[in-house]
Amino acid sequence: KNQVEQSPQSLIILEGKNCTLQCNYTVSPFSNLRWYKQDTGRGPVSLTIMTFSENTKSNGRYTATLDADTKQSSLHITASQLSDSASYICVVSFNDYKLSFGAGTTVTVRA
Amino acid sequence: DVKVTQSSRYLVKRTGEKVFLECVQDMDHENMFWYRQDPGLGLRLIYFSYDVKMKEKGDIPEGYSVSREKKERFSLILESASTNQTSMYLCASRPDRNTGELFFGEGSRLTVL
């Protein structure tokens, strides 16, 4: 069973609207959690990193939250743009090299 | 700028052929990785390498081998390609074990007929 579950699998939003992606994990012990953005046909690129003690971190219009007690993270996209259309992957690190990947959420932004 | 280059973006091979996927990074990173990405399954680790000449099996090494003769180059080898190895292959690197961010290549989409 995958130790990192993302929801929804996909979503469609109108340009300018906000959306929130979810990531639940069972990985233990926890080191850090990253969100990556993967444009179609490209490799993933890191958006944010969060350690155990951090609750919120922003990168422009992207805001990630972490609740280490409930083992949940979210990625909020504000005022979506067409360029936000991509897959968003949650990656949890639980030792020096071992990474566990979620299956990703595909976001489609329509004009 | 950080650069991870995969030699082939698209390949079509026949069952039983030997396939080489090359990956080069120009950042002097110690660690390099090979993943495959399939719809609904996320990225799965095939092999990784902490340093030159070193390699470790990941979660799905069966049917694959790797080579790291130089620090900047990490090759993935399919000795005898099979149809279930049709997938997107992603190479990644990172500076060392303590630096978690992975830098990915653009991916190599392999189709085995």
Side-chain angles (χ1 to χ4, degrees), chain A residues 32-33 49-57 64-68:
Chain A
N32 61 64
L33 184 150
I49 177 175
M50 302 190 73
T51 60
F52 185 87
S53 60
E54 295 177 301
N55 299 120
T56 303
K57 184 165 284 187
T65 65
L66 175 65
D67 185 335

Side-chain angles (χ1 to χ4, degrees), chain A residues 29-32 92-99, chain B residues 31 33 48 50 94 96-102:
Chain A
F30 172 87
S31 177
N32 61 64
V92 181
S93 175
F94 56 99
N95 65 27
D96 62 350
Y97 69 86
K98 197 70 169 175
L99 303 172
Chain B
N31 302 168
F33 304 79
F48 62 100
Y50 278 140
R94 70 180 181 187
D96 53 53
R97 294 190 196 199
N98 298 317
T99 307
E101 182 179 356
L102 293 173

Side-chain angles (χ1 to χ4, degrees), chain B residues 66-83:
Chain B
V66 291
S67 172
R68 193 164 181 205
E69 295 297 316
K70 294 184 178 181
K71 190 174 187 178
E72 67 270 19
R73 187 180 299 270
F74 193 35
S75 304
L76 181 69
I77 303 151
L78 288 68
E79 292 290 341
S80 177
S82 63
T83 55

Side-chain angles (χ1 to χ4, degrees), chain A residues 32-98:
Chain A
N32 61 64
L33 184 150
R34 287 182 184 270
W35 285 92
Y36 284 80
K37 179 187 179 188
Q38 184 176 21
D39 292 318
T40 301
R42 310 294 293 273
V45 176
S46 178
L47 285 176
T48 64
I49 177 175
M50 302 190 73
T51 60
F52 185 87
S53 60
E54 295 177 301
N55 299 120
T56 303
K57 184 165 284 187
S58 292
N59 177 1
R61 293 179 297 100
Y62 299 101
T63 299
T65 65
L66 175 65
D67 185 335
D69 292 332
T70 62
K71 298 186 178 180
Q72 296 180 325
S73 177
S74 65
L75 181 69
H76 186 76
I77 305 175
T78 302
S80 60
Q81 299 177 359
L82 296 178
S83 60
D84 294 329
S85 294
S87 288
Y88 294 84
I89 303 170
C90 176
V91 183
V92 181
S93 175
F94 56 99
N95 65 27
D96 62 350
Y97 69 86
K98 197 70 169 175

Side-chain angles (χ1 to χ4, degrees), chain B residues 22-83:
Chain B
E22 301 284 337
C23 175
V24 178
Q25 49 96 2
D26 64 359
M27 301 160 285
D28 201 37
H29 285 177
E30 290 183 0
N31 302 168
M32 296 188 74
F33 304 79
W34 274 106
Y35 293 92
R36 64 176 284 176
Q37 184 176 33
D38 300 289
L41 295 179
L43 277 78
R44 292 179 292 167
L45 181 63
I46 304 171
Y47 267 95
F48 62 100
S49 169
Y50 278 140
D51 208 338
V52 181
K53 304 281 187 181
M54 297 175 67
K55 59 185 178 183
E56 297 284 342
K57 292 181 179 179
D59 298 319
I60 51 165
E62 296 78 19
Y64 304 95
S65 63
V66 291
S67 172
R68 193 164 181 205
E69 295 297 316
K70 294 184 178 181
K71 190 174 187 178
E72 67 270 19
R73 187 180 299 270
F74 193 35
S75 304
L76 181 69
I77 303 151
L78 288 68
E79 292 290 341
S80 177
S82 63
T83 55

